[in-house]
Amino acid sequence: MSDLTRTPESLLRRIELTIIRQLDGMLHGDYHSLFRGVGLDLADLREYQYHDDVRHIDWNVTARLQTPYVREYYEERDLNAWFLLDLSSSEDFGSGEVTKRSQAAEAVAVLASVLSRHSNRVGALFYGSNVDTVIPAGNGRRHVLQILHRMMAREKGVQSETTRLHDLLQTAAQVMKRRSLVFVVSDFITQPGWEKPLALLGQRHDIIALRLYDPLEMELPDLGLLTIQDAETAEQLLVDTHDRGFRSRFAAAVTRREDELHAAFDYAGVDVLELSTEDNVLDALLRFSDLRKGRSRLHAGRSLPPHLERR
C-alpha cells in the first residue's frame, strides 16, 4: 500500500483484520518463541553456562545427568515491551511505494498489537536528531494507535549531522527501569560505536534488532547519470551508474558494511530481524519465529536447521 493512502487508523484496522487473524492461527503456541523471558512457565532445560543465574539450576536433572542444567522460563504475565524507533531522515527513503519508515510502522503495529492482545504493556522512544519523544508503557488498542499516530505524523526533515544511535540506546537504558523486551527499529545508518551500548542494554533486557533496508541500498542498477543525496546531511553527488567500476566499488562497500554490521550484532549478542521495504511483514515475522525457535534448540544442545543458519 502506498504511503500516501496510509493513516494510523486504516493501518491498524487492516492489520487487525488480516495479519493478526493469521498470526493467531499460525503462531498459536509460538507466541513465546518470539517473546521469551523470566516468568512462571517452564520453557526449556539446557546446560549451565558461565554467567547463568544459579537460582535457575534444576537440581533433580543435574543429579540425574551429573551435569548442571538450568531452567528457562516463558514471560507469561505483565511483560513490558519497548520500541526504540530511529526516525532519522534516512528512514524516509524508499525506491518504491514503501519507505523504510512506513515499513517500520507496519512492523510496530503488528508487534504492538500482538503484545497488547496478551495484556502486556508497550512503550516507545523516538529519535530524530536526538531522543525527542518518550511514550510511557501502556496497553490497549488506543495506546497502540497513539504510538502509530505519533510515529507517522512526524514531518520529514534534513539533519545537520549523521545519526547517533548510541544516544538512543543510552537514553533507553535510563528510561527502562524494569526488565523488558526491546525492539531496536533502525536502518543502522549511524555513527559507529553503538554496539557497546546495545550489548550493555542486552545484559538486562531481551533485545531484538529490527534492521530496515531498501533493495536499492544493497545493489545499484545501471541507471546512467544520477544525482544522489545524503538523506541526513543533504550532501549531493553526481554519479555515473553506467560505469562498471563505480558499481563494483559500490558493491564492495555494501559487502564491507554488511560484514561490519553483522559483526556488531554478533558482538552485542542480539537476534536480528532483517526487513526490506519489499518484504511482506507477516512472512518476515514467521521467518523470525523459526529463527528464535532455532536459537532455543542451540541453547538446549541441539543443532540449528540448515535453512536458518546465517549465510
Side-chain angles (χ1 to χ4, degrees), residues 121-246:
R121 295 157 52 87
V122 296
L125 277 73
F126 292 3
Y127 176 96
S129 55
N130 52 61
V131 181
D132 52 52
T133 303
V134 177
I135 300 179
N139 53 30
R141 186 181 190 275
R142 181 172 295 183
H143 188 72
V144 173
L145 199 56
Q146 178 191 4
I147 294 175
L148 292 177
H149 189 273
R150 299 281 292 275
M151 184 178 181
M152 298 173 69
R154 290 170 67 98
E155 295 183 0
K156 298 180 181 179
V158 177
Q159 299 168 215
S160 59
E161 59 181 25
T162 55
T163 299
R164 294 171 53 89
L165 192 61
H166 48 288
D167 289 351
L168 173 59
L169 299 171
Q170 289 170 347
T171 301
Q174 299 170 3
V175 170
M176 300 182 304
K177 300 301 183 183
R178 57 172 293 186
R179 188 178 188 278
S180 303
L181 172 66
V182 181
F183 296 91
V184 182
V185 185
S186 174
D187 56 11
F188 291 89
I189 298 176
T190 174
Q191 291 184 15
W194 53 269
E195 59 272 20
K196 185 174 181 179
L198 184 62
L200 291 174
L201 204 63
Q203 291 180 4
R204 177 172 176 80
H205 306 281
D206 183 14
I207 310 292
I208 296 174
L210 201 163
R211 186 264 180 120
L212 303 159
Y213 68 94
D214 186 271
L216 197 58
E217 296 172 331
M218 311 301 289
E219 183 177 2
L220 193 62
D222 183 354
L223 298 173
L225 285 173
L226 284 180
T227 299
I228 60 175
Q229 176 174 305
D230 188 312
E232 300 195 341
T233 65
E235 180 182 357
Q236 293 186 339
L237 184 67
L238 181 66
V239 300
D240 182 7
T241 61
H242 184 65
D243 184 345
R244 289 185 178 180
F246 174 79

Side-chain angles (χ1 to χ4, degrees), residues 7-286:
T7 65
E9 293 81 3
S10 65
L11 173 60
L12 189 56
R13 189 180 307 112
R14 179 176 63 82
I15 284 172
E16 289 170 340
L17 292 174
T18 56
I19 295 179
I20 298 299
R21 286 186 177 181
Q22 294 179 63
L23 282 174
D24 279 344
M26 300 176 75
L27 280 183
H28 181 68
D30 287 348
Y31 169 80
H32 300 291
S33 298
L34 281 170
F35 314 127
R36 175 172 292 183
V38 179
L40 296 178
D41 290 347
L42 180 64
D44 209 344
L45 287 168
R46 61 172 173 79
E47 287 191 20
Y48 176 87
Q49 298 175 2
Y50 185 62
H51 290 315
D52 280 339
D53 191 333
V54 294
R55 293 174 298 177
H56 298 158
I57 292 178
D58 188 310
W59 294 107
N60 291 331
V61 175
T62 297
R64 189 163 60 247
L65 298 180
Q66 298 298 306
T67 301
Y69 269 75
V70 294
R71 296 187 176 198
E72 290 185 325
Y73 294 91
Y74 289 132
E75 182 74 90
E76 180 66 27
R77 299 187 296 184
D78 195 22
L79 171 70
N80 268 14
W82 287 87
F83 294 92
L84 311 187
L85 303 174
D86 171 12
L87 300 176
S88 56
S89 297
S90 63
E91 301 293 340
D92 292 316
F93 177 73
S95 57
E97 291 187 335
V98 179
T99 65
K100 287 182 283 185
R101 189 202 291 201
S102 62
Q103 191 74 319
E106 181 157 337
V108 169
V110 172
L111 292 167
S113 296
V114 170
L115 286 161
S116 293
R117 285 163 63 88
H118 289 80
S119 302
N120 300 306
R121 295 157 52 87
V122 296
L125 277 73
F126 292 3
Y127 176 96
S129 55
N130 52 61
V131 181
D132 52 52
T133 303
V134 177
I135 300 179
N139 53 30
R141 186 181 190 275
R142 181 172 295 183
H143 188 72
V144 173
L145 199 56
Q146 178 191 4
I147 294 175
L148 292 177
H149 189 273
R150 299 281 292 275
M151 184 178 181
M152 298 173 69
R154 290 170 67 98
E155 295 183 0
K156 298 180 181 179
V158 177
Q159 299 168 215
S160 59
E161 59 181 25
T162 55
T163 299
R164 294 171 53 89
L165 192 61
H166 48 288
D167 289 351
L168 173 59
L169 299 171
Q170 289 170 347
T171 301
Q174 299 170 3
V175 170
M176 300 182 304
K177 300 301 183 183
R178 57 172 293 186
R179 188 178 188 278
S180 303
L181 172 66
V182 181
F183 296 91
V184 182
V185 185
S186 174
D187 56 11
F188 291 89
I189 298 176
T190 174
Q191 291 184 15
W194 53 269
E195 59 272 20
K196 185 174 181 179
L198 184 62
L200 291 174
L201 204 63
Q203 291 180 4
R204 177 172 176 80
H205 306 281
D206 183 14
I207 310 292
I208 296 174
L210 201 163
R211 186 264 180 120
L212 303 159
Y213 68 94
D214 186 271
L216 197 58
E217 296 172 331
M218 311 301 289
E219 183 177 2
L220 193 62
D222 183 354
L223 298 173
L225 285 173
L226 284 180
T227 299
I228 60 175
Q229 176 174 305
D230 188 312
E232 300 195 341
T233 65
E235 180 182 357
Q236 293 186 339
L237 184 67
L238 181 66
V239 300
D240 182 7
T241 61
H242 184 65
D243 184 345
R244 289 185 178 180
F246 174 79
R247 296 203 306 276
S248 176
R249 292 192 297 274
F250 181 88
V254 168
T255 299
R256 184 167 58 251
R257 166 174 155 73
E258 290 298 297
D259 289 344
E260 292 172 352
L261 189 59
H262 288 112
F265 287 137
D266 288 341
Y267 171 86
V270 301
D271 285 335
V272 184
L273 170 57
E274 304 264 5
L275 189 61
S276 163
T277 55
E278 293 184 346
D279 279 344
N280 178 286
V281 171
L282 173 60
D283 291 343
L285 286 173
L286 292 174

